[in-house]
Amino acid sequence: ARKKGVPLLPTPVDLQIGITLCEGLHHLHGLKAADGRALKLVHREVGTDAVLLGYDGQVKLTDFLLGPSRAAVKSEMGVLKGKFPYFSPEQARGEVDLDRRSDVFAVGAVLYHLVCGRRPFEGELIDALPRMLKGDFFAPRSIHKALPADVEAAIVKALAPTRDSRFGSANDLEAALKAAMDPAF
C-alpha cells in the first residue's frame, strides 16, 4: 500500500484484520488435548510481520512460538527474543504465567500500528520498556484524528498495562471490534 502512495489502510480493513486475528487466537486459546484437558496455548509472537494479508483479503497468522504459559523465549545469554514492540508487559518482564490476555495485548499493538502508522511503543527496548510497563503511549485519535472513538476505546483497553484491565479473551476483543465496524462496510 505504501508503494502505491497509501500510507494507511482504511479503518474497516484494519478492523477486519483485527477481527480475523482474534478469531484465530480464540480458536488457539481454546484448544484441548485428546483427553479434554485445556492446553492453555499462547501464541506469544503476534506482531505485524506475523500477519499476512493476501490480495484476496485473507488474513493469516504465522510465527508461532507456542507453549503452555511460557514466558518470552530467552537466549542462552538471557536476552529476550521475539517481537518486543508487541510484547505484553508481563511478557516483557519475563513472567512465566502468560495467558491469552498476553496475545490480546499484542493484537491491540498490531491494531494501533495499523490505524496509526506507528507502533505504540517506539524505540529500542531499553527506552520502550518503561513506557510499555506503564501503558504510556499516544492516544490513537491524537495521531489518527478520524478514528472512531469506539475503535480507540477497544485498542486502549487491549493495551492496558495490567491483564485484569484488558479484554478477558480474544473473543471479547473481537466482539468490541465487530461492534465498532461500520455496518456499511
Side-chain angles (χ1 to χ4, degrees):
R2 284 192 185 111
K3 287 179 184 176
K4 298 213 181 257
V6 179
L8 297 172
L9 296 172
T11 300
V13 174
D14 297 336
L15 291 177
Q16 190 56 53
I17 291 168
I19 288 167
T20 305
L21 289 176
C22 287
E23 288 171 348
L25 288 168
H26 181 69
H27 176 76
L28 171 74
H29 297 153
L31 288 175
K32 298 183 187 295
D35 63 4
R37 176 183 46 85
L39 293 175
K40 298 181 182 178
L41 295 174
V42 180
H43 185 285
R44 303 178 332 102
E45 283 290 303
V46 176
T48 54
D49 58 345
V51 179
L52 304 178
L53 180 60
Y55 288 105
D56 62 354
Q58 282 196 354
V59 178
K60 306 278 185 187
L61 181 59
T62 64
D63 291 350
F64 290 80
L65 280 179
L66 297 176
S69 306
R70 288 180 11 196
V73 175
K74 295 185 180 187
S75 73
E76 293 172 12
M77 299 300 291
V79 177
L80 289 172
K81 286 185 177 181
K83 299 170 180 81
F84 84 83
Y86 305 96
F87 278 179
S88 64
E90 59 272 16
Q91 186 175 7
R93 285 190 296 266
E95 293 179 16
V96 296
D97 62 340
L98 297 182
D99 65 21
R100 60 189 177 187
R101 294 171 294 181
S102 185
D103 286 342
V104 167
F105 183 94
V107 172
V110 167
L111 284 167
Y112 187 104
H113 195 167
L114 289 172
V115 302
C116 295
R118 58 177 281 186
R119 295 184 298 244
F121 309 104
E122 293 283 345
E124 297 296 319
L125 178 61
I126 192 78
D127 300 318
L129 185 59
R131 292 191 312 273
M132 184 186 304
L133 296 176
K134 291 187 293 187
D136 182 17
F137 55 88
F138 290 105
R141 287 171 45 137
S142 71
I143 298 167
H144 184 330
K145 306 286 188 221
L147 189 68
D150 49 355
V151 174
E152 179 182 60
I155 292 170
V156 168
K157 184 171 181 171
L159 288 172
T162 62
R163 287 185 254 204
D164 291 339
S165 298
R166 286 181 217 138
F167 291 98
S169 69
N171 198 44
D172 294 342
L173 174 54
E174 177 188 345
L177 297 176
K178 284 181 175 178
M181 181 69 82
D182 182 345
F185 177 68

